Amino acid sequence: MVLLRMVAVTAASALALSAPVGVNAQNDTSAANDAQTGQEIEIDVLLARMTREEKIGQLVQRMGGRSKALNSRLGPEELDRVRRGEVGSYLHVAGADPLRELQRVAVEESRLGIPLLFSMDVVHGYRTIFPVPIAMAASWDPEVAREHAEIAAREASAAGLHWTFAPMVDIARDPRWGRIVEGSGEDAYLGSRMAEAQVRGFQGSDLSAPDTIVAGTKHFGAYGAAEGGRDYAGAELGERSLRETYLAPFRAAAEAGTASYMTAFNAVDGVPTTGNAALLRDMLRGEWDWDGLVLSDWRAVEELMAHGVAADRSGAAALALRAGVDMDMVADIYADDLAAAIEADPSLEPLLDQAVRRILKVKQDLGLFADPYRYHDTAREKAVMLSPEHREAARRSAANSLVLLKNEGVLPLIRDAQRIALVGALADDALSQLGSWRARGEEADVVTLKAALEARHGGVTYVRGADTRSDDTSGIAEAVRAAENADVIVAALGEDFDWSGEARSRSSLELPGKQRELFTGLEATGKPIVVVLMGGRPLAIPEIAESADAVLASWLLGVEAGPAIVDALFGFTNPGGKLPVSFPRSTGQIPVNYDHLPSGRPADPDLSKDTARYMDVEITPQYAFGHGLSYSSFDYGDIRLSGARIPASGGRIAIAVDVTNSGKVAGDEVVQLYVRDPVASVSRPVKQLRGFARVALAPGERRTVTFTLSPEQLALWNAGGKWAIEPGRIEVMVGSASDDIRARSAFEIIGEGRGRMAPAAIPTRVEVSGQKR
């Protein structure tokens, strides 16, 4: 794959920063004294006074502990490293007080007094744990993602942290990949909106504010396209797919101002991202004109040797630095071997200086040179953790993330009038509701489904039935007996937290353990069954989809999981989420993403025809992208266009549709806009999401949703390797799901134009107006 030529690297301009504070006699303050104007010095002046060893030290991220044993490695030997200027950042550290002392050593006992960066994977909350990212994407509400990130930053910064390794914005179309739980699903447009919202939530409008942290958007490349859904495996895909789909959320994060990126572990077309200058230096820094901090993933610089593109540690260090990787996470390749690489190849020296400048710039933007202790207020740390306001926000987020997949009239449950058999180990599994990457979340913080249901309803009998990780069937008989004595069954089925996440790929998407046998036993009772489907990925559940009376996808919802689910079961809230990823009918059906390319022989249910389908499964997914039901119903009017034609350069078109709540209860509808280019120079997807709006409607209320598109949002990556806007007819579809289109229209683009980025990275302007019918 050819991705641009190597661009020339230019030195960053000098940037002002405040002098280190609290320096003692041990510090060499001549750099500050020579360049001071009041309280300011220049980064280049500081850089000029640094030894090569001190420069390399800024590129080193050390492990201060382990994820379950924070700060455990911060002993005397580690403090000596800091005094010698051999470390620029630590991860697996936290705590306002202990990190203040570590920072004090850096700024008061090292020669130049350069502050440290403290980091952690704060992915969906710090102490107040929100729904896992795939669940928040199911809200189809970027405000949910932004609010979560803002609260996570508030708590993490109070604990002394400056930097999170989130959001994860990898597009994932193979649910066997365990890390699908950490992202926003299969679609580039939805993923882009969630990416930019989280960046803005973490970083706020002013990165120097003490309650913001640096966003570390990950994993740059096409990590989610790993072959067979196997974590760390390579991605083999064309440049059009890479640019239009997999890189779109990363570009959206850049437009939102992300201050850092993390590279992916895997290779794209045989080139590991951590050593891929075409991606990192040419595209990210050159074409996108982005100049923030690039960090490797865990030991990924070292792994360049295992990939077979570096012969030794020194070669790996040189390759990563040339590619544009500024900081080495925990491998100590830069620490131990970069100096030798520079001695062997002096052309690396200016690249070292560039990396140091970028790291110092992030520290400056955080305000650490002005006040390195701004993140170490123990009173604030105590006050903000798991506050009532934060828990309430987590509960709103959980409620908005629920997706009603099926309902044959059994939901909402009759309040206080039914005997309920609650079945399933997941109903009382607090740890699983925290999900993967739980930061400092604790089991004791979680309200489970069992606890919430028993608190809300008097007639509940709970039986585990079957576990997600055991072939023991001895509990099924007890569960069946409980079901026989109940009016309705609520079965919590799915995967526990450890079935999804990093290195948690699965070859099968069926229910693990003996849960299918448990469901079969419950079904035999003839009692109504409500399945609460938990987990971090789509599952293949054809038996449940066929036989259950209702299916509520609850994912893993965080500390307020139980109350959010119970509110929905009894109708105190109305589920309004939509699927951010398609659910296949079987493992073998994947990939089954909605925006596939057309075929010369499109899939047909008629097996007598030779078409693009499997013989042994229906041609549609079990539940399509964008699917989600409600306790209400919504009617759509016809599409109204602001014009029939728009110019390719500078044109705009408004697409309006009326949506009415025709039901008896209030509810949210996610209005979805899809487009299709039916004739182009290259084959285009059968439909592509280009806008959405989650709209709250009272019974009888009608609102007008207006999407405003520009031709740039319809550009394509053409055969000549350029973004192009081509003339021709564009089909427009508005509906409730990718397979539930309610209105159609079309307009024409006149002339040709040039695009500037992945169309999915560009947000559509949305306006909602109107009044009650």
Side-chain angles (χ1 to χ4, degrees), residues 149-171:
E150 183 180 88
I151 290 172
R154 191 178 302 150
E155 293 189 349
S157 63
L161 295 174
H162 312 121
W163 191 8
T164 177
F165 305 140
M168 194 206 87
V169 303
D170 299 301
I171 298 299

Side-chain angles (χ1 to χ4, degrees), residues 669-724:
E669 172 67 337
V670 178
V671 183
Q672 302 166 40
L673 169 69
Y674 296 90
V675 299
R676 186 191 179 206
D677 185 348
V679 180
S681 62
V682 294
S683 186
R684 305 306 294 152
V686 295
K687 60 172 68 77
Q688 292 178 292
L689 184 71
R690 281 297 179 268
F692 60 88
R694 181 163 178 157
V695 183
L697 295 166
E701 186 177 4
R702 181 175 64 237
R703 305 292 297 276
T704 298
V705 180
T706 303
F707 303 97
T708 301
L709 283 176
S710 71
E712 273 196 315
Q713 294 171 281
L714 304 164
L716 54 83
W717 187 255
N718 67 17
K722 303 287 185 183
W723 289 115

Side-chain angles (χ1 to χ4, degrees), residues 40-213:
E40 294 186 345
I41 62 173
E42 291 182 344
I43 284 179
D44 277 353
V45 173
L46 178 58
L47 188 66
R49 295 303 179 96
M50 298 174 73
T51 65
R52 180 186 289 170
E53 290 73 21
E54 288 169 330
K55 291 176 184 179
I56 291 173
Q58 288 299 303
L59 277 59
V60 174
Q61 182 173 82
R62 296 274 300 170
M63 184 167 56
R66 296 187 179 275
S67 58
K68 296 180 181 179
L70 301 182
N71 308 336
S72 58
R73 296 189 174 213
L74 299 179
E77 182 179 345
E78 203 62 42
L79 294 181
D80 284 341
R81 290 179 184 270
V82 175
R83 292 185 182 99
R84 293 192 298 267
E86 296 174 356
V87 186
S89 174
Y90 280 97
L91 81 162
H92 293 334
V93 292
D97 190 53
L99 294 191
R100 181 185 180 89
E101 175 58 19
L102 184 58
Q103 192 72 287
R104 187 198 64 77
V105 172
V107 300
E108 298 186 23
E109 298 184 16
S110 69
R111 188 175 75 91
L112 294 175
I114 300 174
L116 297 163
L117 284 175
F118 301 132
S119 58
M120 181 188 286
D121 290 273
V122 182
V123 175
H124 56 111
Y126 179 75
R127 179 65 187 274
T128 305
I129 303 300
F130 281 69
V132 292
I134 191 72
M136 285 190 283
S139 74
W140 285 61
D141 185 354
E143 178 58 21
V144 166
R146 188 207 61 78
E147 184 180 43
H148 126 262
E150 183 180 88
I151 290 172
R154 191 178 302 150
E155 293 189 349
S157 63
L161 295 174
H162 312 121
W163 191 8
T164 177
F165 305 140
M168 194 206 87
V169 303
D170 299 301
I171 298 299
R173 299 184 160 189
D174 190 333
R176 292 175 297 182
W177 189 51
R179 300 195 79 166
I180 192 172
V181 66
E182 296 177 49
S184 294
E186 73 182 47
D187 182 67
Y189 185 84
L190 177 61
S192 293
R193 304 291 75 77
M194 292 297 173
E196 66 195 14
Q198 290 177 82
V199 168
R200 290 174 178 140
F202 285 128
Q203 296 188 171
S205 59
D206 180 6
L207 200 53
S208 68
D211 59 352
T212 61
I213 56 178

Side-chain angles (χ1 to χ4, degrees), residues 314-334:
S314 179
L319 184 60
L321 188 64
R322 285 196 181 282
V325 176
D326 302 312
M327 188 174 284
D328 172 15
M329 183 189 285
V330 310
D332 280 344
I333 294 282
Y334 281 176

Side-chain angles (χ1 to χ4, degrees), residues 47 50 55 58-59 352-360:
L47 188 66
M50 298 174 73
K55 291 176 184 179
Q58 288 299 303
L59 277 59
L352 171 62
D353 287 354
Q354 290 172 3
V356 175
R357 283 190 188 95
R358 286 190 281 262
I359 293 166
L360 295 178

